[in-house]
Structures are given as C-alpha cells and as structure tokens.
Amino acid sequence: MGTMVAIEIADPLPPATLGGLAEDFFAWMREVDARFSTYRDDSEVNRVERGELRPADGTPHLRAVLSTCAELWRTTDAYFDVYATGRLDPSGYVKGWAAEIASARLAAAGSTNHFINAGGDVRVRGHYAPGRPWSIPLRHPWDPDGAFLVLTGTDLAVATSGTYARGFHVINPRTGHPARDLRSVTVAGPDLGLADAYATAAVAMGRPGLRWLAELPGYEIAVVTEDGEGFTSPGLPVAPADVVAAATPPSP
C-alpha cells in the first residue's frame, strides 16, 4: 500500500512463538497489500476499478471493506469517499482496518501486549513492560523529528491524517480540490479502521470537521490547523509528564 508496517511484541513468550506471531502478522499485511493496494496492477481493488471484477464477486474481505466504506460515506455526509481522487481507493480505511484485524488475530493467538504501526496509524494492546502502558508520540506538524503530544493506553487505536507528511493529498469530494485547512488530525478510540476513516474525512471537511469530530461518540481528537491553532478533546489520553519526558529524545 505504499507504506511501512512494524510490530513490537512485548509478551514473555518463547522466541519461536514470538517469531511465529510476527510471521503471521506480516503474512496478513502482505495479503491485504496484494488485495487492496492501488500500486499493484493485479490487486482486487485495481481489477474492480478496471471493470474486470464485480465487487459482488470479490473476496469476503473486499466485500466487507467496500460495504463499510459505503456506510462511512453516509455517516460522514459523503466526505469519506473512496472515489474522491477519481478512482477507487479505499486506502483511507483499509490501512487501519488491516492493523485492527492483525491486532485481534495476535490477541487470539496469545499476544496481549503488542504495538502495531501501519504507516503512522497505531494499534496497541496491553503494556510494553509490567505496569507501563504503551506511549504513542504524535508527530509534530512542522518538525518531523519531534512530537507535540504523547498519548498512552493499554487498548487504543490512534490514526492521524493531514498535510504535514504527504502534502495536500486529501481531496474534498464536494469541491474536487485538495483540502488545506487542517494540517494534522488525530483520532483515538477503540477501532483503528474507523479512526483512520474519521481522520481522513475530517481533513476533507476542513474547519467544519472540528465540530463534526467533537460529536463523534467514543473517540477523542487532537487537531492542528494550517495556521497553527491546536484543539484537543477533554478525554484525550495524554501521557503523564514523566512518560512524555522518557519518550522525548534529548535536545542536542
């Protein structure tokens, strides 16, 4: 899907078991890439786009993803649109969805302490050490080597969309033009696929997305606008100061 994925497994399991869990994780992510990548000519998504495959004839995963994307189109007032770029591209949901499923598979296989990073979207479970929840730094919108917030959690999905990394790549489907108002939108909550889609939709909305995000049940937000204003929701799980200090590299 044109991005990187990484995993850290903190469970006290035998090396062979840990290796098997990691292999299963990467096998699943490669399977998702083969099915949904817009960069692969033979992916199901590209075959649907070219008219070679009807969505109804696709795999159960393809049908499930497209069905959820259609529901997201309705719940976001059409701002989450898999055709916003002019071609079928469900990447704004698939990346988080794949990592969410990967985390559930790991938990079912015995890993209750892990950290998944799928192109900057993060899913954590459990702890990285006894009594120490995972820390998730949010990349600074203007400093790629820094963080402007650090979140923490033991069962948390964190997705970020915006303009700071890939430029004005999110399209407002109402205008057909790139969205430019929100530099960084982070959505945190129980499901990474939905958090990913909500963050993308909010960027497409622009400033009206702030009010829409504030009304999302079960999700917390951190937003930075292109002109430098910052907004956070009251329940955002920001790490304590000592955790932030430990997660922040020292100044040179």
Side-chain angles (χ1 to χ4, degrees), residues 178-223:
R180 296 177 175 271
D181 291 343
L182 305 183
R183 189 167 181 86
S184 174
V185 174
T186 295
V187 178
D191 184 282
L192 189 55
L194 294 181
D196 199 2
Y198 292 156
T200 300
V203 172
M205 292 177 192
R207 280 189 171 268
L210 291 168
R211 180 179 295 276
W212 180 81
L213 286 169
E215 296 173 353
L216 279 178
Y219 289 82
E220 304 296 336
I221 65 165
V223 178

Side-chain angles (χ1 to χ4, degrees), residues 47-71:
R47 291 174 61 205
V48 170
E49 169 65 19
R50 293 192 298 265
E52 300 170 3
L53 176 69
R54 296 192 312 156
D57 295 330
T59 60
H61 283 136
L62 176 72
R63 297 197 303 271
V65 163
L66 294 182
S67 175
T68 301
C69 288
E71 180 62 25

Side-chain angles (χ1 to χ4, degrees), residues 141-160:
W142 283 276
D143 179 4
D145 296 323
F148 77 101
L149 278 176
V150 178
L151 306 186
T152 186
T154 59
D155 187 6
L156 187 65
V158 180
T160 300

Side-chain angles (χ1 to χ4, degrees), residues 9-108:
I9 303 174
D11 300 283
L13 297 171
T17 302
L18 293 172
L21 291 170
E23 287 175 8
D24 179 73
F25 165 76
F26 285 111
W28 162 247
M29 298 303 284
R30 291 188 189 101
E31 180 183 340
V32 171
D33 183 64
R35 229 172 245 160
F36 292 98
S37 176
T38 59
Y39 298 93
R40 298 172 62 119
D41 287 340
D42 60 347
S43 71
E44 281 191 280
V45 162
N46 280 336
R47 291 174 61 205
V48 170
E49 169 65 19
R50 293 192 298 265
E52 300 170 3
L53 176 69
R54 296 192 312 156
D57 295 330
T59 60
H61 283 136
L62 176 72
R63 297 197 303 271
V65 163
L66 294 182
S67 175
T68 301
C69 288
E71 180 62 25
L72 285 163
W73 183 84
R74 291 186 286 270
T75 58
T76 63
D77 199 18
Y79 277 100
F80 183 85
D81 187 345
V82 295
Y83 287 98
T85 61
R87 53 146 300 144
L88 176 61
D89 184 0
S91 302
Y93 171 71
V94 163
K95 185 174 61 171
W97 165 83
E100 183 68 32
I101 289 182
S103 178
R105 286 168 56 133
L106 283 164

